[in-house]
Amino acid sequence: MTVYESELVVEKKEFAADGVLALTLRHPLGEELPAWEPGAHVDVVLGPDLERQYSLCGDPADRTAWRIAVLREPDGRGGSAYVHEQLGQGGKVRVRGPRNHFALRPAPRYRFVAGGIGITPILPMLAAAEAAGAEWSLLYGGRSRGSMAFCEELSGYGDRVTIAPQDETGLLDLASVLDDLPEGTLVYCCGPGPLLDAVEARCPAGALHVERFEPKVQETGADTEFEVELARSGRTLTVPADVSVLDAVRGAGVEVLFSCTEGTCGTCETDVLEGDPDHRDSVLSDEEREAGETMLICVSRCRGKRLVLDL
């Protein structure tokens, strides 16, 4: 599958909250950008070995621009520092995508929960739920009101949005929105790992959809050696116990897109033609894992002795 990739221009760069910059990106020649749906993210190439994923948080109907928001992380790996300190208005940046592993499914009602910068993929979901005539509410938490992005934009939704800064209200009252969910309600949550874990503990099976910024801690068995057949390349590789499928494939000279190498971004998702993947990512849903039709080759392995991949 061909993935869109282009150099885009930073048309606008403005603070959406303390420590959060919103960037509006356009094509330098005014060309239309690919269509996207709420929950989608793009890969932003900030330099050699410096690539980050950011959720699209603008209007999907606007094909002329993409908006992202970047939280300044003092203890981060350099991506947010580059955006805040070096990528100026009028600057250019290479962008790839969009991809969507957090798509908004049709439902009569939704409960949205966001923590901090986790509001970014949720923001266009609210507009979509509103346009669909669904019943919905948002519980949005952060360290302080000043650190919470897009509060002014959210104010137009009235009392369906609850802004709950921790320094004013304490921890989010999840019970108030998640206990006794009406049948058919879907819950969408994005934010820090502890928030996602707490929401997961309260939601019935099948109701919850999350997007994680960090890998979910998982129990896995011992890593063992197995074979991978690359159907399109006509090659069979041995993947040692201490080597990832991604590294084995790249070591054999086969080009494949990848980014986070942590199983959180979905860039390296690959079709599985045969075999039983040992899923270790934080992206695929339970249904997708059960189907076994794709896997994230940066972290996932094989439950048996052999996999056949569409590479």
Side-chain angles (χ1 to χ4, degrees), residues 37-306:
E37 295 182 352
H41 71 265
V42 291
D43 305 329
V44 181
V45 182
L46 301 170
D49 300 319
L50 189 60
E51 185 173 316
R52 298 292 181 264
Q53 289 71 43
Y54 298 111
S55 297
L56 293 172
C57 57
D59 179 4
D62 183 2
R63 297 285 299 276
T64 69
W66 283 344
R67 183 175 70 168
I68 61 174
V70 181
L71 170 67
R72 179 71 162 92
E73 298 183 86
D75 300 323
R77 296 176 294 170
S80 68
Y82 180 89
V83 172
H84 277 247
E85 298 168 12
Q86 299 183 52
L87 183 59
Q89 191 162 310
K92 294 183 178 179
V93 64
R94 183 154 292 277
V95 181
R96 184 190 308 123
R99 294 183 179 84
N100 198 340
H101 289 280
F102 193 42
L104 186 68
R105 299 183 181 181
R109 61 191 65 83
Y110 301 95
R111 298 292 179 265
F112 297 104
V113 181
I117 198 63
I119 189 61
T120 51
I122 299 294
L123 200 59
M125 291 185 179
L126 305 182
E130 182 79 357
E135 184 270 311
W136 64 268
S137 67
L138 166 67
L139 178 60
Y140 177 25
R143 295 188 309 278
S144 65
R145 193 174 295 270
S147 71
M148 298 170 66
F150 305 118
C151 284
E152 184 176 347
E153 198 168 314
L154 290 167
S155 66
Y157 290 118
D159 60 6
R160 281 172 293 179
V161 173
T162 300
I163 305 292
Q166 188 172 350
D167 62 353
E168 296 177 22
T169 64
L171 296 177
L172 289 179
D173 181 9
L174 297 178
S176 66
V177 295
L178 298 179
D179 286 2
D180 300 319
L181 287 176
E183 186 175 349
T185 302
L186 294 185
V187 178
Y188 280 78
C189 179
C190 186
L195 172 62
L196 271 60
D197 293 340
V199 170
E200 190 173 44
R202 285 187 173 272
C203 284
L208 178 61
H209 301 269
V210 302
E211 184 169 58
R212 292 182 178 271
F213 299 138
E214 300 175 347
K216 182 179 180 180
V217 177
Q218 304 180 54
E219 292 185 8
T220 60
D223 293 346
T224 57
E225 182 179 287
F226 58 94
E227 285 190 346
V228 171
E229 180 183 334
L230 309 181
R232 280 189 280 135
S233 303
R235 304 187 61 177
T236 297
L237 311 176
T238 296
V239 181
D242 59 348
V243 175
S244 70
V245 177
L246 174 64
D247 286 344
V249 169
R250 294 184 67 232
V254 178
E255 290 296 322
V256 59
L257 288 176
F258 70 98
S259 180
C260 73
T261 69
E262 297 179 327
T264 58
C265 75
T267 304
C268 69
E269 185 176 7
T270 302
D271 288 341
V272 177
L273 304 181
E274 291 181 32
D276 186 9
D278 179 7
H279 296 291
R280 301 183 181 186
D281 64 274
S282 302
V283 173
L284 299 180
S285 67
D286 290 342
E287 292 83 1
E288 289 169 327
R289 290 176 175 229
E290 182 67 26
E293 296 175 352
T294 68
M295 65 182 289
L296 272 63
I297 61 173
C298 66
V299 292
S300 297
R301 301 186 66 81
C302 179
R303 294 187 185 278
K305 296 293 185 181
R306 182 172 174 271

